[in-house]
Amino acid sequence: MKENNSRLLGREKLSMEALGRMSKEEFKDAQKIPVLIVLDNVRSMHNVGSVFRTADAFLMEGIWLCGFTPRPPHRDIHKTALGATETVTWHYRENALELVKQLKLSGYKILSVEQVTNSIPLSQFTWNGTDKLVLVFGNEVDGVQQSIIDASDACLEIMQLGTKHSLNISVSAGIVLYKLAEVFMK
């Protein structure tokens, strides 16, 4: 009865085939959103895998893994990435600050996702959808390094209303990447 009711309501769950997912080759050739993600000293392999999966979902340009951030291949990263480590372009760099400075010289606007004085609330952030951006996400405990905040063009802050003043890094990445993908798709 439930199955028939779902069809009558027009809410039948889509099959994987009906979703029209890209192949790995189509993904590699697709136009990417001009956003690079920097994960600096992120501890959790599950967080890393989740960011890979989100970067794939929103066609981000790529990911830089820095410091002691775990790198593929690893089963715990793969467990949450679900193959996104094979589609999303990624690189490793030991020193995130040096990387950020290099990317800035290459024409990227550097945005740290962190709670700081004079941060820009994500809801008020404007982007034209074409300027090249770098989003820096920091360690689960210590956040983004102050030296990277100092080198950033701006800091984005996600509004929070409850008693906790932090979000899991993979949740933060999902929120910010969705916002940017939404702008890009307009």
Side-chain angles (χ1 to χ4, degrees):
M1 191 63 143
K2 287 181 184 177
E3 185 176 322
N4 291 336
N5 192 30
S6 296
R7 286 189 181 143
L8 290 173
L9 294 172
R11 296 186 199 137
E12 187 174 358
K13 189 172 178 178
L14 295 174
S15 68
M16 291 302 266
E17 185 177 291
L19 290 171
R21 301 281 187 216
M22 289 183 188
S23 68
K24 289 179 187 177
E25 295 76 26
E26 289 169 327
F27 183 92
K28 292 285 185 187
D29 293 338
Q31 178 186 3
K32 305 296 186 297
I33 296 176
V35 173
L36 290 173
I37 301 157
V38 172
L39 300 182
D40 184 32
N41 290 323
V42 172
R43 295 182 199 186
S44 167
M45 290 189 217
H46 297 289
N47 282 337
V48 172
S50 182
V51 173
F52 265 96
R53 191 166 160 189
T54 305
D56 176 290
F58 296 126
L59 278 172
M60 295 295 149
E61 185 178 326
I63 298 176
W64 281 90
L65 306 173
C66 299
F68 58 72
T69 302
R71 304 179 294 276
H74 193 282
R75 66 182 175 89
D76 287 341
I77 295 173
H78 181 71
K79 184 177 183 177
T80 50
L82 294 179
T85 58
E86 298 170 20
T87 54
V88 175
T89 301
W90 68 272
H91 304 280
Y92 173 77
R93 178 72 68 85
E94 178 65 32
N95 189 305
L97 179 59
E98 289 177 9
L99 171 64
V100 163
K101 288 178 179 179
Q102 178 186 359
L103 292 170
K104 193 172 192 172
L105 289 174
S106 298
Y108 285 87
K109 183 175 182 178
I110 310 300
L111 302 170
S112 287
V113 180
E114 188 59 86
Q115 298 166 327
V116 301
T117 54
N118 298 312
S119 62
I120 300 169
L122 182 61
S123 61
Q124 295 175 20
F125 177 68
T126 57
W127 176 52
N128 62 13
T130 58
D131 289 343
K132 300 186 309 182
L133 303 178
V134 170
L135 296 173
V136 181
F137 296 91
N139 177 272
E140 292 91 338
V141 174
D142 299 321
V144 177
Q145 298 176 49
Q146 186 64 51
S147 60
I148 293 175
I149 291 169
D150 295 342
S152 296
D153 295 297
C155 291
L156 300 178
E157 185 172 345
I158 300 167
M159 179 184 69
Q160 299 171 51
L161 302 174
T163 62
K164 302 303 174 202
H165 296 283
S166 68
L167 293 168
N168 181 285
I169 180 180
S170 64
V171 172
S172 294
I175 292 168
V176 176
L177 296 179
Y178 178 82
K179 163 107 174 158
L180 297 179
E182 194 174 44
V183 170
F184 182 79
M185 296 306 294
K186 287 184 178 178

